[in-house]
Amino acid sequence: MEMALDESNDSLTTLDLEGFTFQYEKQIEKMIEKSVIEHTKSFWGEGLVIRTSGAGAC
């Protein structure tokens, strides 16, 4: 599986979300639709967290 941030690749599908550009392979589109991308900042650092949302998620 490949997911890129701000790297152009014509074989990937592009998603623009709140100022960020993500690219992903078409076959994982159902997984992407059920995902939540959050920005976190803590004592240990700062970054993006990608997690699954929906039924059964904590």
Side-chain angles (χ1 to χ4, degrees):
M1 176 173 37
E2 181 178 352
M3 188 171 182
L5 176 63
D6 293 334
E7 294 179 13
S8 182
N9 185 333
D10 293 337
S11 68
L12 300 176
T13 302
T14 300
L15 170 65
D16 292 312
L17 181 63
E18 296 185 22
F20 291 98
T21 301
F22 296 92
Q23 293 184 321
Y24 58 91
E25 295 174 344
K26 184 70 173 168
Q27 64 264 28
I28 66 166
E29 188 164 27
K30 294 293 183 189
M31 184 170 50
I32 297 297
E33 290 173 355
K34 297 177 182 178
S35 296
V36 174
I37 303 172
E38 296 178 321
H39 179 263
T40 62
K41 189 173 185 178
S42 70
F43 173 79
W44 295 277
E46 183 175 357
L48 298 175
V49 175
I50 303 171
R51 63 179 174 83
T52 303
S53 67
C58 296

